[in-house]
């Protein structure tokens, strides 16, 4: 399996997939000009990882801002994870939201309600996040 390490920019989040550890981190801001081009390699790497026998993935989402195109990409990514969980993969999601950001919290709660095989735990971001 191949790790993925995408460095954050002013418009894109840091994304780190560590396949051996089974961890995925999405952190920062997400409003890339080409959402499909940016998230495509992430979808491919996560999908490949989740196809392995006894797949496990612990996901931390720490986005302080994302646009509607990124929201659709996140929904697609989480739907992929949910399908893998339905097939036996062990996936956990921790979504960290700014305490003053009701929109992000509501988005995380809405996605959590739509996902059938994974629970999403929602936490407040701290200064250390």
């Amino acid at each position: 399996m191949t790790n993925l390490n995408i460095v954050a920019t002013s418009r894109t989040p840091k994304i780190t997939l560590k396949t051996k550890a089974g961890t995925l981190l999405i952190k920062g801001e997400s409003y890339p000009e080409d959402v499909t081009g940016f998230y495509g390699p992430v979808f491919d790497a996560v999908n490949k990882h989740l196809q392995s026998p006894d797949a496990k993935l612990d996901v931390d989402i720490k986005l302080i801002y994302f646009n509607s195109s990124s929201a659709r990409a996140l929904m697609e990514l989480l739907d992929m994870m949910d399908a893998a969980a339905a097939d036996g993969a062990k996936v956990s999601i921790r979504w960290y939201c700014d305490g003053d950001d009701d929109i992000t919290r509501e988005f995380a709660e809405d996605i959590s309600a739509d996902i059938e095989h994974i629970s999403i735990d929602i936490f407040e971001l701290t200064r250390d996040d």
Side-chain angles (χ1 to χ4, degrees), residues 31-92:
Y31 53 103
E33 290 183 30
D34 179 7
V35 172
T36 303
F38 178 76
Y39 280 101
V42 178
F43 291 168
D44 293 343
V46 169
N47 188 42
K48 187 174 184 180
H49 175 72
L50 291 173
Q51 299 303 314
S52 64
D54 300 322
K56 170 186 151 319
L57 190 61
D58 294 323
V59 181
D60 286 327
I61 300 172
K62 299 178 178 184
L63 291 172
I64 56 174
Y65 174 78
F66 54 93
N67 65 5
S68 59
S69 297
S70 294
R72 285 190 293 281
L74 288 169
M75 287 188 298
E76 187 176 329
L77 184 62
L78 295 175
D79 283 341
M80 177 195 328
M81 293 177 194
D82 193 45
D87 289 339
K90 293 183 179 17
V91 180
S92 68

Side-chain angles (χ1 to χ4, degrees), residues 5-125:
N5 188 26
I6 300 173
V7 177
T9 70
S10 62
R11 299 179 63 92
T12 60
K14 171 183 181 175
I15 300 182
T16 306
L17 172 64
K18 296 180 180 176
T19 57
K20 189 171 184 175
T23 61
L24 174 67
L25 171 67
I26 303 173
K27 180 179 181 177
E29 296 187 24
S30 183
Y31 53 103
E33 290 183 30
D34 179 7
V35 172
T36 303
F38 178 76
Y39 280 101
V42 178
F43 291 168
D44 293 343
V46 169
N47 188 42
K48 187 174 184 180
H49 175 72
L50 291 173
Q51 299 303 314
S52 64
D54 300 322
K56 170 186 151 319
L57 190 61
D58 294 323
V59 181
D60 286 327
I61 300 172
K62 299 178 178 184
L63 291 172
I64 56 174
Y65 174 78
F66 54 93
N67 65 5
S68 59
S69 297
S70 294
R72 285 190 293 281
L74 288 169
M75 287 188 298
E76 187 176 329
L77 184 62
L78 295 175
D79 283 341
M80 177 195 328
M81 293 177 194
D82 193 45
D87 289 339
K90 293 183 179 17
V91 180
S92 68
I93 300 172
R94 291 175 298 273
W95 197 310
Y96 296 82
C97 303
D98 185 301
D100 296 328
D101 187 353
D102 294 336
I103 294 171
T104 299
R105 179 173 290 280
E106 287 175 18
F107 181 79
E109 290 169 351
D110 288 347
I111 287 182
S112 181
D114 289 342
I115 299 230
E116 296 179 40
H117 303 97
I118 304 170
S119 66
I120 298 177
D121 296 316
I122 301 170
F123 299 97
E124 189 167 317
L125 275 170

